């Protein structure tokens, strides 16, 4: 096997990378191998710099993917002791625009909850769990990993907050709505009482992959396109709909657990129409003209 094959095998075995991801990385690395004349694993910084020059006409997103493939490949070689140096400092640093998040309308959310609430009213265990998951994703803006890894100890008794451990091990307090609290109260007596997790599974806690599957199945039952729904999309809906309701961007940063306000500012693009209306209605000059 070549070093490229070894790297792709590691992606599949240790990182659980999707087949399409592995295929894309393989194409990028094989192309780079051809461009440097073979033996990519031995390429010098000068050769990688020429690679970047050859990719100058590519779209920023494509260039970013190729650079990422090479950075991970050479990082793997260093970790495996195949190389002592990492030559990827010679690669370009493409600036990519952060894509706008997918948006769920208020009507989409209403349809989703109507279906989940109807199913949960039966008292069936998995339906009650689904409603609790949905309430916490949309009502508190949790990340998928934060949600599935919630311990039972994080559930509030009196205070209306969850204690969540987010990226980088940072802990934050997340408000829990009355609706979400009611959904959790219905779920708690049904869960496995011996588990330390709020949403247990046979081997630990519910996985991110299973959460994705459950949401897409719920979307289909609610007559929504399954590809339109994911935990991240519900988190975006939480943020966008809060902004529409007049939430402060700094408060939203705290709720989402963003370390940098620039990450939160993407939502100002989503809600641009409301911001224009706000300036037209609330700016002092607008009020002055209205009184003339």
């Amino acid at each position: 096997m070549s070093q490229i094959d070894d790297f792709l095998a590691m992606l599949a075995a240790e990182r659980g990378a999707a087949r399409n991801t592995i295929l894309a990385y393989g194409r990028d690395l094989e192309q780079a191998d051809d461009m440097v004349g073979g033996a990519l694993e031995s390429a010098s910084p000068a050769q990688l710099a020429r690679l970047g020059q050859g990719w100058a006409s590519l779209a920023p997103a494509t260039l970013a993917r190729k650079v990422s493939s090479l950075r991970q490949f050479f990082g793997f070689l260093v970790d495996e002791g195949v190389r002592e140096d990492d030559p990827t400092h010679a690669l370009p640093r493409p600036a990519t625009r952060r894509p706008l998040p997918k948006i769920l309308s208020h009507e989409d959310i209403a349809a989703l909850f109507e279906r989940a609430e109807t199913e949960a009213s039966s008292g069936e265990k998995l339906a009650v769990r689904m409603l609790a998951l949905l309430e916490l994703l949309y009502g508190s803006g949790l990340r998928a990993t934060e949600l599935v890894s919630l311990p039972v100890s994080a559930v509030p008794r009196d205070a209306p907050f969850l204690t969540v451990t987010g990226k980088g091990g940072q802990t934050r307090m997340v408000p829990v709505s009355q609706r979400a609290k009611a959904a959790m109260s219905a779920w708690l007596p049904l869960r496995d009482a011996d588990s330390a997790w709020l949403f247990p599974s046979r081997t630990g806690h519910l996985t991110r992959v299973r959460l994705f599957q459950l949401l897409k199945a719920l979307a289909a039952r609610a007559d929504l396109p399954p590809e339109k729904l994911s935990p991240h999309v519900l988190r975006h809906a939480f943020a966008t709909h809060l902004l529409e309701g007049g939430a402060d961007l700094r408060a939203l940063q705290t709720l989402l657990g963003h370390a940098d306000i620039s990450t939160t500012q993407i939502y100002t693009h989503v809600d641009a129409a409301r911001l224009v209306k706000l300036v037209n209605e609330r700016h002092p000059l607008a009020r002055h003209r209205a009184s003339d």
Side-chain angles (χ1 to χ4, degrees):
M1 290 177 68
S2 70
Q3 294 295 341
I4 292 176
D5 290 334
D6 287 344
F7 169 68
L8 297 177
M10 180 277 294
L11 286 182
E14 297 183 17
R15 300 188 190 174
R19 181 174 180 273
N20 286 344
T21 300
I22 294 171
L23 290 174
Y25 277 34
R27 286 192 298 269
D28 289 341
L29 294 173
E30 293 292 350
Q31 182 191 56
D33 188 63
D34 289 341
M35 292 174 71
V36 299
L40 177 62
E41 64 272 15
S42 303
S44 66
Q47 287 177 299
L48 292 193
R50 287 194 292 273
L51 267 183
Q53 294 166 7
W55 290 338
S57 62
L58 295 176
T62 303
L63 177 59
R65 191 197 69 235
K66 289 181 178 296
V67 169
S68 175
S69 299
L70 286 168
R71 289 191 193 283
Q72 293 187 58
F73 174 64
F74 282 101
F76 166 77
L77 296 181
V78 172
D79 289 343
E80 293 295 304
V82 177
R83 288 188 68 130
E84 293 184 356
D85 67 313
D86 183 346
T88 57
H89 60 83
L91 290 168
R93 297 182 179 275
T96 57
R97 293 182 60 188
R98 185 188 295 268
L100 293 178
K102 295 178 183 177
I103 299 299
L104 286 175
S105 68
H106 291 276
E107 291 74 22
D108 292 336
I109 291 292
L112 205 59
F113 272 92
E114 182 179 359
R115 183 69 192 193
E117 289 166 351
T118 298
E119 294 177 355
S121 65
S122 67
E124 196 273 324
K125 180 178 178 179
L126 296 184
V128 174
R129 183 186 69 175
M130 185 71 253
L131 181 59
L133 290 166
L134 189 62
E135 287 284 3
L136 287 171
L137 281 171
Y138 177 67
S140 298
L142 300 183
R143 298 179 178 95
T145 301
E146 293 171 347
L147 176 61
V148 298
S149 61
L150 277 174
V152 176
S153 58
V155 177
R157 294 185 179 180
D158 300 317
F161 292 96
L162 279 176
T163 303
V164 175
T165 302
K167 289 186 175 180
Q170 295 296 314
T171 300
R172 71 184 190 280
M173 302 293 284
V174 177
V176 177
S177 69
Q178 290 295 327
R179 289 171 52 105
K181 200 168 182 179
M184 282 194 293
S185 295
W187 163 241
L188 284 171
L190 301 178
R191 58 176 286 283
D192 178 5
D194 294 330
S195 175
W197 307 107
L198 179 57
F199 299 106
S201 70
R202 283 175 291 182
T203 58
H205 60 66
L206 189 71
T207 66
R208 293 175 71 254
V209 171
R210 185 62 183 142
L211 178 60
F212 273 75
Q213 293 169 342
L214 291 171
L215 284 172
K216 291 186 182 302
L218 176 64
R221 297 195 301 274
D223 295 325
L224 294 173
E227 66 275 8
K228 194 173 184 178
L229 191 64
S230 72
H232 207 54
V233 169
L234 283 168
R235 179 171 156 87
H236 285 316
F238 162 82
T240 304
H241 296 168
L242 272 180
L243 270 183
E244 289 176 355
D248 175 77
L249 202 61
R250 285 287 182 186
L252 189 59
Q253 177 190 5
T254 301
L255 291 173
L256 293 173
H258 287 162
D260 192 330
I261 189 67
S262 64
T263 307
T264 318
Q265 284 172 333
I266 186 172
Y267 294 103
T268 61
H269 299 290
V270 176
D271 199 25
R274 187 188 69 84
L275 295 176
V276 170
K277 182 180 179 183
L278 182 67
V279 169
N280 288 336
E281 292 180 353
R282 302 294 180 85
H283 194 280
L285 288 179
R287 291 199 298 271
H288 177 71
R289 285 194 299 271
S291 63
D292 287 346

